[in-house]
Amino acid sequence: MRHEGKTEARLSRIRGSEPPRRHNARTIAALTSNPGCARRAVLDAAGVDKERLAERVGFPAAFGQSRFAIVRGNAFERQVKADGCAELLRLLRDLLALDLRDAAYTDLGADGSGEGLDARHVAARERLTRAPGGEDGEGNPGGEGNPDGALFDHPLLRLEVAGQAVYLEPDLVAFQHGGAFHVVEIKSFPVIDGQADAEKVAAAAVQSAVYVLALRRLLGRDDAVSHEVVLVCPKDFSNVPVAVRLDVRRQLIVLEHQLARLTRIDTLLDALPDDLALDLGQDGAGTPVMAVDALTAALGRVTARYAPGCLSTCELAFFCRREASGRTAALGIGVREELGGVETVAEALGLAHGTATPDDDQAESAAMLRTTARVYAEALGAMPETPAGGAAG
Amino acid sequence: MSVIGAYARALAVRTGFAQPVASVRHIHLAEAPLVLVPLRMAGEANAPLAAMAGTDELSGTLLVVPQPRDRDLRFAFAGLLGDLLLGYVERCAAAGSEPVKPPRTPRQPAGRPLPDSLLSGSPSSSPGGAGGAAVAAGPEGTAGAADGDLRADEDALAAAEATGPERFLDAPQVLVPNRAGVEFARLFGRSTRFRSTLGEYAVPAGVPLLGRWLTFLAQRAEHPGSSALVAMTEALTLHWATGQSALEDANLAALMAWIDPPDGLSGPEAARLAEDPRTWPPAGPTTDPQFDNRVLAPAIAAYDEAIALLREQAGLAGAPDPLLADPDVIDSRFRAADLGAARVWPGAPDAPVQSWLRARDEVERAVRGQIEPTWRLMWRAVRRLRELPDAASVPRRWEQDRTRFTSYYAYLRDEDGGLPQARRDGAVAAARRLAVLERELAAYEADQAFDDPLVLANQRVTGDAFVGTVVAAERDRRIANERGTLVTRPLVEVVTVDPVRLPIGTKVCSPARVGQTGVIMSLEPAADGLLVSLELSGGMGRAKVPPPGSVPDMDEVISYTSVLPDGAFSAALPAPEDTPWTHGGPPTPYEPTDGDAEETWA
Ligand code: SF4
């Protein structure tokens, strides 16, 4: 416990005068995309606002959401949830074999306007555990007069992320009689002839996995929540919703692994200089606590592990990309492997052109690289004309 | 990522410029391809915002939907785009046709004269030349013919049957900026091909035809080696390697920045600039979110307002709404000023037509600013690609595209035909398609290596191919075959420094002598590398002693590869009507229903 307190203090020192940035399902999901990166692990654990940090050091992220997409997303969700989720209940009846003739629809968020997050979470916990099959409700199906199935809107869940409580709000949670809870996610990308954009489905799967995990922790039992989530999307080109099951077992494994790793953040912290700080705050006079140079230098002290995938998942990507220029990994993991796994482009070309001496364990890749360079130059020599740039070097 | 590709990327990092990974152009490039740059509204499955299309950089047509959520406008847009695409398709079809060689019928009764149409396609007229062995019936007899039969997959046979004796000389080639553009074509085709021009939900005539042709093109795009619908980013990365990742290459502007940077800038400098959406709007179909929020959304809102005001005031005057009969899609071929004059609200001369026209102009200007840079970039890329000479097998692959185009064109014209493509393949059709695609991919890759020493270089590094110098040639060597007949089987010895990884007995072929195969007889270490001895057969005529030049000569530098275009065949699949019950049984053929035409568009 004392140990944890020490870690907390350390993380808050790194963050400095700013309040910690709250995680949400999307940022937690992003943790799984480059688990090997210490820089992001530390920044996330400390709750540093990466978007603002990137902006301060001169590499603003290019993320943004179109107003059109937001409007569309909200409209679809509103439609699906209209009339106490009437349309959704019909879909779930088919998909989960819910007997929902008089299904209970409970909105756990609507009346709680004045309540704090904590109170709302407690209320949600109360209500969900009372559902038959919840830890207290076992064998007491008549308890709250719950019918065979139930649908809970706006349940506020909680998940510990690096010692920090994060509140999460899945779109819906459905309960199946004699079975388990299902997380329901409403997304506005279409399912056309039974197929949807793979990237979007993958993102929805990780995000839903975060909710499954949070719900499992709340109910205290893994088998109380199905690893199959329900994805509700517009069908074809219409506004008519369609529900499909999505298996998130794989995502759950990665997520749990990554969360466990975050709680062992002190190992990462031990390797960092004691005075490390990335304070984005301002002093009383409105002057930034840390100058750009100082921030940049501090960032450089935490090891990153840039890969092209960062460009679509992490706010610091442009900064890290610049830092990683000249590294083989910046060209993609496949390229790096083809280049014999060596760290830098200079090193790879050195081996290829015989200007660097390979280590013992590089002998094989060096031979391959030399062949590649020779064969490439030979083949290029056979070309009709050498285009701009040529194969210099 | 191939090893040569990876090495070329490393070189690009060092030099600051893209490096070639091909020395010839492996895709067909039409003299006047149809460049299509589509944009759609973010968050919507089927809301086109705009398209710029045309076969000439200087006369592209810009179509803009001023309110993409309006269903009628979408249909009107689809109709206009349909007319553009159909006009292009018709021009391709009108370019003339050529007789088609029939697929070889193995047991043609001897002595019976062949009809003229069959005779006219003699092997020498095959545009693919020696490489175009698909349906060639060589005099050399069984071996070559068997190969030919295998290569002429059933797709081609079916197509040839459906086509009859003629094949169009030209076919549509549509170029879109990126993979997402291909996907847009597929989805927009899917959303329009089932619509009906009759009944309650009638749409303009061009709409369902647009759907069929977009679907045709999108389906062709799945076939490796097809040039019917091409994503420009993919065409470029097939020929150049940049000093950035494949993910970054998906941005057309950044990719072109490495390949063809503006004067005074290096590739990476230009690429950084190209990534800034304010300098280079994204190549679509999705627009820059900041543009959406700051420019497009207000412009659309202003348009909505102007239209509402117009309708209100005109309505007060009791005038009919001309925009109901003629939905207001912006078409750059008509000037807005003319439009204003033509569309004075009848009976409501005071209606605020000017504010409507201004709002309309504003949407057009905003969208034009986003789409035109990509339009120009597309044509720059076309010019860059055109500098490369055609690869030897390009005409043969393009012939396949022309064949498919001809048969689909005929199908749409056929009295019983013209049904839209089904929503999904049945189990056998899907498996069959996958098998065909796999085979085509293998053949395409083998073709590329055959046509291009830079692609062959990959096989040399992995040990599947080698280049060496002939140090001994026994041209007149004759041995007894299994029937005891003496046959000519020359022996050549090649010294190579390539890391050959081929077992004895491997069949190899040289791009320099298509039709001649070698079998590796021995591999021995030599003073400076490896001595490979090969026994050759085929491609040397029938004389006892092959004529000079038909067999590699002393000191000739020659390449051999074990990756042969005919190398990959998968197990035969049942015909669709024999689909086993485990796979859903025979599929019911696609029958259009009324519901198809009424499918809701949100
Ligand atoms: S962008 Fe940088 S900080 Fe973010 S995950 Fe990648 S390497 Fe780590």
Side-chain angles (χ1 to χ4, degrees):
Chain A
M1 278 295 116
R2 264 200 58 209
H3 192 62
E4 260 176 39
K6 202 180 105 206
T7 306
E8 258 309 290
R10 180 78 193 279
L11 290 171
S12 118
R13 219 160 56 233
I14 292 178
R15 193 176 59 242
S17 54
E18 288 284 279
R21 194 173 176 279
R22 290 258 168 229
H23 270 292
N24 56 41
R26 202 170 317 162
T27 58
I28 297 173
L31 294 177
T32 59
S33 58
N34 189 0
C37 176
R39 179 173 293 166
R40 196 174 64 188
V42 169
L43 291 174
D44 281 338
V48 175
D49 184 336
K50 295 202 297 295
E51 192 178 342
R52 272 180 53 219
L53 178 58
E55 230 171 79
R56 281 289 308 279
V57 297
F59 290 89
F63 299 136
Q65 220 187 344
S66 168
R67 202 195 282 187
F68 301 129
I70 297 170
V71 168
R72 162 79 172 151
N74 292 343
F76 182 67
E77 182 172 343
R78 226 179 304 117
Q79 185 206 332
V80 170
K81 287 187 173 179
D83 305 324
C85 292
E87 208 161 357
L88 188 63
L89 285 169
R90 183 182 53 77
L91 287 174
L92 293 177
R93 189 159 41 214
D94 295 343
L95 191 75
L96 303 177
L98 286 194
D99 189 1
L100 294 169
R101 258 160 318 191
D102 49 359
Y105 165 79
T106 317
D107 192 340
L108 296 170
D111 48 30
S113 45
E115 287 179 68
L117 291 175
D118 246 341
R120 266 189 66 200
H121 171 63
V122 170
R125 188 191 152 85
E126 264 280 278
R127 197 65 190 74
L128 289 173
T129 46
R130 247 183 1 225
E135 58 185 10
D136 304 336
E138 199 98 56
N140 182 20
E144 257 307 294
N146 259 327
D148 295 335
L151 201 56
F152 301 95
D153 201 348
H154 300 118
L156 196 67
L157 310 177
R158 211 172 88 160
L159 194 65
E160 294 274 314
V161 180
Q164 212 190 99
V166 179
Y167 291 97
L168 300 162
E169 197 176 310
D171 286 336
L172 286 161
V173 169
F175 176 68
Q176 180 184 19
H177 175 62
F181 282 95
H182 289 264
V183 165
V184 181
E185 257 309 273
I186 303 172
K187 293 282 176 202
S188 63
F189 58 81
V191 174
I192 296 166
D193 297 335
Q195 283 182 310
D197 185 309
E199 230 171 272
K200 291 186 177 136
V201 173
V206 192
Q207 221 176 308
S208 310
V210 175
Y211 297 133
V212 171
L213 199 63
L215 191 56
R216 282 181 174 177
R217 300 253 161 110
L218 179 141
L219 295 171
R221 266 178 34 216
D222 278 5
D223 61 354
V225 186
S226 170
H227 59 255
E228 278 192 334
V229 300
V230 177
L231 189 61
V232 180
C233 294
K235 184 175 184 304
D236 297 334
F237 305 105
S238 69
N239 276 330
V240 179
V242 57
V244 290
R245 294 160 182 264
L246 197 60
D247 186 331
V248 299
R249 258 176 296 186
R250 201 172 48 80
Q251 288 80 357
L252 280 168
I253 292 170
V254 183
L255 197 60
E256 283 189 277
H257 173 84
Q258 190 55 11
L259 287 177
R261 191 173 171 279
L262 270 191
T263 58
R264 294 194 305 268
I265 194 80
D266 20 314
T267 341
L268 291 178
L269 291 174
D270 284 347
L272 296 174
D274 226 23
D275 58 344
L276 180 82
L278 287 149
D279 192 337
L280 298 175
Q282 300 176 340
D283 63 16
T287 321
V289 174
M290 285 178 77
V292 173
D293 287 355
L295 283 173
T296 308
L299 261 181
R301 290 159 90 175
V302 194
T303 324
R305 194 157 141 193
Y306 173 80
C310 292
L311 289 169
S312 47
T313 51
C314 183
E315 293 87 344
L316 280 171
F318 287 154
F319 177 86
C320 297
R321 177 175 72 175
R322 168 55 179 277
E323 186 185 62
S325 71
R327 302 197 151 264
T328 49
L331 300 175
I333 197 73
V335 175
R336 186 194 150 97
E337 265 161 32
E338 292 284 8
L339 293 175
V342 296
E343 276 305 312
T344 67
V345 169
E347 211 182 326
L349 290 177
L351 293 176
H353 301 153
T355 54
T357 344
D359 308 344
D360 286 350
D361 53 348
Q362 283 179 331
E364 203 181 316
S365 9
M368 192 266 306
L369 283 169
R370 276 198 305 275
T371 305
T372 307
R374 175 180 60 80
V375 161
Y376 182 78
E378 263 179 50
L380 209 60
M383 274 184 69
E385 113 213 50
T386 312
Chain B
M1 175 49 44
S2 70
V3 58
I4 290 288
Y7 173 71
R9 276 193 202 272
L11 282 181
V13 169
R14 168 170 296 183
T15 59
F17 296 97
Q19 300 294 307
V21 288
S23 56
V24 287
R25 181 166 23 78
H26 295 279
I27 58 162
H28 170 83
L29 191 54
E31 238 166 73
L34 183 83
V35 170
L36 171 67
V37 181
L39 294 183
R40 64 180 181 82
M41 187 181 233
E44 303 280 337
N46 182 39
L49 166 67
M52 191 147 182
T55 54
D56 175 5
E57 181 174 5
L58 298 178
S59 59
T61 300
L62 175 66
L63 303 174
V64 183
V65 185
Q67 175 43 280
R69 291 210 180 87
D70 184 319
R71 237 175 121 257
D72 290 336
L73 289 185
R74 281 187 225 172
F75 280 129
F77 168 87
L80 288 170
L81 186 63
D83 291 344
L84 276 173
L85 184 64
L86 287 177
Y88 177 59
V89 162
E90 288 302 337
R91 284 202 301 283
C92 293
S97 54
E98 62 183 358
V100 180
K101 269 173 304 167
R104 217 179 86 86
T105 16
R107 254 167 262 115
Q108 189 75 41
R112 196 168 120 205
L114 291 166
D116 280 351
S117 65
L118 294 185
L119 280 175
S120 55
S122 71
S124 60
S125 76
S126 158
V135 287
E140 258 284 300
T142 46
D147 280 355
D149 277 350
L150 284 171
R151 215 190 285 174
D153 69 31
E154 59 190 347
D155 251 20
L157 293 181
E161 273 161 31
T163 310
E166 296 284 311
R167 178 197 296 126
F168 288 138
L169 289 171
D170 205 357
Q173 178 177 44
V174 177
L175 307 176
V176 291
N178 44 33
R179 190 73 335 238
V182 173
E183 189 56 17
F184 174 90
R186 189 180 73 80
L187 278 186
F188 202 47
R190 163 65 182 80
S191 75
T192 48
R193 70 176 185 257
F194 296 110
R195 314 304 314 193
S196 167
T197 53
L198 301 169
E200 195 185 339
Y201 299 91
V203 296
V207 175
L209 273 179
L210 171 78
R212 284 159 172 80
W213 281 111
L214 284 180
T215 304
F216 167 81
L217 290 168
Q219 284 178 351
R220 283 303 298 157
E222 290 174 27
H223 290 263
S226 164
S227 301
L229 174 62
V230 177
M232 189 52 87
T233 48
E234 291 176 3
L236 292 171
T237 50
L238 189 61
H239 301 91
W240 286 278
T242 66
Q244 60 188 5
S245 67
L247 201 101
E248 290 153 303
D249 282 349
N251 177 334
L252 180 62
L255 175 58
M256 275 301 281
W258 278 92
I259 295 172
D260 192 11
D263 283 343
L265 287 185
S266 73
E269 288 164 348
R272 291 302 88 91
L273 288 178
E275 274 178 349
D276 184 345
R278 285 164 308 183
T279 331
W280 273 103
T286 313
T287 43
D288 171 29
Q290 298 306 335
F291 165 76
D292 284 1
N293 298 344
R294 293 192 191 138
V295 183
L296 187 59
I300 290 178
Y303 172 86
D304 277 346
E305 228 170 85
I307 282 275
L309 194 69
L310 187 62
R311 286 192 163 134
E312 190 188 320
Q313 302 220 354
L316 285 179
D321 184 346
L323 292 185
L324 278 186
D326 186 8
D328 189 25
V329 173
I330 298 167
D331 183 335
S332 66
R333 288 169 295 185
F334 305 104
R335 292 194 315 131
D338 303 340
L339 195 82
R343 276 188 177 167
V344 176
W345 243 252
D350 300 336
V353 172
Q354 288 314 318
S355 65
W356 160 56
L357 288 178
R358 265 199 309 278
R360 207 175 175 274
D361 278 352
E362 192 46 46
V363 176
E364 176 177 351
R365 207 155 46 95
V367 170
R368 190 182 279 280
Q370 293 293 298
I371 211 168
E372 264 186 349
T374 304
W375 172 259
R376 288 195 297 270
L377 197 57
M378 285 293 284
W379 288 102
R380 238 175 78 206
V382 167
R383 286 193 291 275
R384 195 73 185 81
L385 278 171
R386 213 183 283 289
E387 287 169 21
L388 292 171
D390 269 339
S393 57
V394 160
R396 172 161 49 80
R397 284 193 298 274
W398 180 239
E399 182 188 285
Q400 181 71 5
D401 278 323
R402 289 191 290 123
T403 304
R404 303 301 309 193
F405 168 57
T406 311
S407 64
Y408 193 66
Y409 185 89
Y411 169 77
L412 285 184
R413 296 240 150 165
D414 194 80
E415 259 182 70
D416 311 320
L419 292 180
Q421 297 92 338
R423 289 201 164 88
R424 277 216 263 181
D425 284 344
V428 170
R432 186 180 288 274
R433 235 173 54 80
L434 274 186
V436 168
L437 295 185
E438 232 170 72
R439 202 163 65 202
E440 283 175 344
L441 180 63
Y444 184 33
E445 284 174 351
D447 276 351
Q448 289 180 48
F450 240 66
D451 292 348
D452 188 342
L454 264 181
V455 181
L456 187 80
N458 282 302
Q459 299 176 358
R460 292 173 65 188
V461 177
T462 54
D464 296 310
F466 59 93
V467 173
T469 310
V470 178
V471 293
E474 199 183 327
R475 187 150 40 107
D476 53 1
R477 175 171 173 265
R478 283 169 72 78
I479 56 166
N481 68 7
E482 58 275 25
R483 290 198 303 274
T485 323
L486 274 183
V487 288
T488 306
R489 291 287 179 270
L491 208 61
V492 295
E493 291 183 345
V494 178
V495 168
T496 178
V497 290
D498 288 352
V500 185
R501 253 176 242 152
L502 299 171
I504 288 170
T506 309
K507 214 172 121 179
V508 294
C509 213
S510 170
R513 287 183 180 73
V514 187
Q516 188 169 83
T517 49
V519 173
I520 297 182
M521 306 300 284
S522 71
L523 286 156
E524 280 158 31
D528 38 2
L530 209 57
L531 183 72
V532 189
S533 67
L534 297 154
E535 184 184 273
L536 304 179
S537 60
M540 55 191 85
R542 305 199 123 177
K544 278 188 185 142
V545 179
S550 65
V551 172
D553 260 332
M554 280 293 283
D555 297 330
E556 187 178 329
V557 176
I558 188 158
S559 45
Y560 278 104
T561 172
S562 62
V563 185
L564 310 177
D566 288 335
F569 294 103
S570 36
L573 286 159
E577 56 275 20
D578 297 330
T579 309
W581 63 269
T582 46
H583 290 71
T588 35
Y590 173 68
E591 289 289 349
T593 63
D594 288 347
D596 284 341
E598 292 162 21
E599 188 172 56
T600 341
W601 273 18

